[in-house]
Amino acid sequence: MSKRPHRPTWKQRIPGGRDGRRMLVISLIDKTGTGLWATAMALYFTYVSHLGLAQVGLLIAISGGAGLVGTPLAGRLADRFPITRLLVGAQLLRAAGLLALLTTDNYALLVLYSAIGTLPDRATNVLTKLFAARVAGPERARYQAMYRTTANLGWTFGGLGAAAALAVATATAFQLLLIGNAVSYVLMAALTLRCAEPPAPARAVADSTTGARTDKPATPWRDRTFLLFTATEAALFLDDSILQVALPLWIVHATDAPVGLAPLLLVMNSVLVVLFQVPMSRFGTTTESARRLLAPLAGLFALGTLALAASALGGRTLAVVALVVAALALTFAELVHTTASWELSLSLAPDAAQGAYLGVHGLAAATQRFAGPLLLTAVISTGPLAWTLLGAGLVTTCAAQHRLVRRRTREQSLSVPTVTVSEH
C-alpha cells in the first residue's frame, strides 16, 4: 500500500520558522494599529488640536520629510547593530511620538512630535525588510509576499475600526484611536523581544581586483547604478499615490462616475493584493525573473493611465468601466512591482552592506509618498492628456530600470566572487 506524500502544515509553509511566523503577527498588529490612526490623523489635528487646513498640510509635509531621514539611517545602523533591538527601539519611539501628541496643542511641538514618530516609522519598513531577508533566506520572495498580505489585512481591520470610531466623531474617539495605535507599537516591541537575532551577512568584503579581504564596506552613495535604480523606483512606486490619492480626486473632479465608486475600488485593491501577492511571488525569485517582470509592469501602467484618461470622455457607464479597468491594471502593477522591487533591491546590494543599500532604496517609497501627491494633483489639474504623458513616462522608466539591472548583473557576473567570513 503506497503512502500518501507528506504535505507540510501551514506552519511549515511559512519560511523562517517560529520567528518568521511571529514577525507576520507583528506585521498584522502594526498595520491594524496604523490603519486606526492613519485614517483619522488629519481629523485629529483639525478637531482635537484645532489646527487650520494649511497648518495640517504643513505638519504632514514636514513629518514626511523627517521620514526620509529614517530609511538610510536605519539601513546604516542595521549593518552595525542587532536588527531585533533596533526594531524594538523604533517601535517604542513610534509609541512615544504618538503619545506626546496628547500632551500639547502647541503647533511647534506638534510638528516636532509628529516628526519624531514618523522617522522611526519609515525606519521600521527597512528593518522589517532586512529581517525578512535574513530569516527567510532563499524563500525571501515568498516570505515578503506573506508579510505584505498580512499587512494589507491589518490595514483593512484598522480601517474598519477607524470607520466605526469616526462615525462618533468626538475628540475622545480620535484620542482613543491614537492611543490604540500607540498600544499596538508597545505590543509589537514585546513580541519582537521574543525573536532571535537572524544571521547577518558577513561584514568582510573583497577587493574587486585582487579578491583580498578588506574591512571597508561598500557604500550605496558612491554606487551610481544603484542610485539610478533607486531613482527609477521612486517613479514606479507612484501606483500607491495614484490609487490612494489621485483616483478618488479624479472621480470627483473629472468623471461622471458616482463618488461612492472610490471606496469600492480601494476595497477591491486590498482584496486582490491579499489574494494574489503570495502566488505572484513565485515569478520573482531570482534577479533574472524579477527583471523580466518589468515588461508586463510597463504594459499595466500604460493600460491603467490610458483607462484613467478615457474615464473623463463623458458618460457614467464609460467612466465606471474605465475606472474599474484602471484600478485593476494599477492593482496588478502594484503586485508585479512589489515582487520585482523586493528581489532586485536585495540582489543588487552587496551582502556586506545590505542594510545601507536597502536604507537608500527605502528613500524611493518615502520620496514618492512626499512628492507623489503633488505631482498627481498637477496631473489632475491638467486633464486626460496628462495621464497619457504620465503613462509614457512610467513605461520609459520601466525600460530604463530593465537596462540598469541587466548592466549590473553583467558586471556582477564578471567580478571576482566575494570572500566572506562567517559570523557564527
Side-chain angles (χ1 to χ4, degrees):
M1 183 176 179
S2 61
K3 295 182 178 180
R4 291 182 179 180
H6 172 71
R7 291 185 178 182
T9 65
W10 68 269
K11 288 184 177 181
Q12 293 171 330
R13 287 197 292 267
I14 298 176
R18 180 179 297 175
D19 288 338
R21 296 193 296 271
R22 186 170 287 140
M23 194 55 70
L24 292 180
V25 173
I26 291 171
S27 165
L28 182 65
I29 296 170
D30 183 4
K31 299 310 179 185
T32 299
T34 303
L36 286 172
W37 171 241
T39 308
M41 178 176 60
L43 296 177
Y44 173 91
F45 290 124
T46 301
Y47 293 106
V48 179
S49 301
H50 307 293
L51 302 182
L53 180 61
Q55 287 179 306
V56 174
L58 181 61
L59 182 150
I60 294 174
I62 293 174
S63 60
L68 292 174
V69 180
T71 54
L73 177 62
R76 200 71 177 172
L77 291 174
D79 285 332
R80 290 165 169 76
F81 302 101
I83 193 169
T84 51
R85 299 300 179 263
L86 291 173
L87 273 168
V88 170
Q91 289 154 358
L92 293 178
L93 188 56
R94 292 165 84 185
L98 264 182
L99 292 174
L101 296 174
L102 295 171
T103 65
T104 183
D105 287 334
N106 179 276
Y107 186 66
L109 289 177
L110 289 173
V111 171
L112 174 63
Y113 296 152
S114 295
I116 288 173
T118 304
L119 190 149
D121 182 75
R122 299 292 180 264
T124 300
N125 293 335
V126 174
L127 295 173
T128 51
K129 186 175 181 178
L130 274 171
F131 185 95
R134 293 176 182 179
V135 79
E139 295 185 272
R140 63 193 187 192
R142 178 175 174 80
Y143 184 81
Q144 176 66 5
M146 290 180 173
Y147 186 91
R148 193 160 185 272
T149 299
T150 58
N152 272 273
L153 284 173
W155 271 109
T156 302
F157 296 152
L160 292 173
L166 292 175
V168 181
T170 63
T172 301
F174 292 127
Q175 290 167 338
L176 287 175
L177 290 176
L178 184 154
I179 293 171
N181 194 17
V183 169
S184 75
Y185 294 148
V186 175
L187 180 57
M188 288 161 54
L191 289 174
T192 304
L193 281 172
R194 299 180 62 187
C195 293
E197 179 67 18
R203 303 198 185 283
V205 296
D207 183 274
S208 61
T209 304
T210 66
R213 190 165 60 89
T214 174
D215 293 327
K216 184 178 180 181
T219 171
W221 299 109
R222 296 179 182 176
D223 190 332
R224 183 172 177 269
T225 299
F226 194 83
L227 290 176
L228 289 173
F229 169 75
T230 299
T232 60
E233 285 285 88
L236 298 184
F237 275 118
L238 272 175
D239 60 81
D240 178 64
S241 287
I242 294 175
L243 286 166
Q244 300 294 328
V245 179
L247 187 61
L249 292 175
W250 183 252
I251 288 174
V252 172
H253 293 286
T255 77
D256 294 325
V259 176
L261 181 64
L264 294 178
L265 294 178
L266 294 178
V267 169
M268 181 184 73
N269 168 262
S270 296
V271 171
L272 290 175
V273 170
V274 169
L275 290 176
F276 291 105
Q277 189 68 76
V278 173
M280 182 67 70
S281 67
R282 70 178 185 269
F283 296 108
T285 56
T286 66
T287 305
E288 181 58 28
S289 62
R291 182 172 67 87
R292 286 197 295 266
L293 288 176
L294 293 171
L297 177 61
L300 288 166
F301 273 130
L303 175 61
T305 51
L306 286 173
L308 283 170
S311 68
L313 296 180
R316 172 171 287 206
T317 301
L318 174 60
V320 170
V321 171
L323 288 167
V324 170
V325 170
L328 283 170
L330 292 168
T331 295
F332 279 94
E334 177 185 353
L335 290 164
V336 170
H337 179 239
T338 298
T339 302
S341 175
W342 165 242
E343 177 59 30
L344 293 177
S345 62
L346 284 165
S347 62
L348 298 184
D351 286 345
Q354 200 175 64
Y357 271 70
L358 291 188
V360 169
H361 179 261
L363 287 172
T367 300
Q368 186 280 139
R369 291 191 192 99
F370 178 72
L374 298 176
L375 171 64
L376 293 171
T377 300
V379 168
I380 292 170
S381 300
T382 304
L385 178 61
W387 283 117
T388 62
L389 295 176
L390 179 64
L394 291 171
V395 169
T396 302
T397 302
C398 289
Q401 186 175 112
H402 188 279
R403 184 175 181 181
L404 278 172
V405 174
R406 182 174 58 187
R407 186 177 69 187
R408 178 59 162 256
T409 51
R410 284 178 178 175
E411 291 172 355
Q412 289 176 337
S413 66
L414 294 173
S415 65
V416 177
T418 299
V419 178
T420 59
V421 178
S422 174
E423 291 189 345
H424 295 291

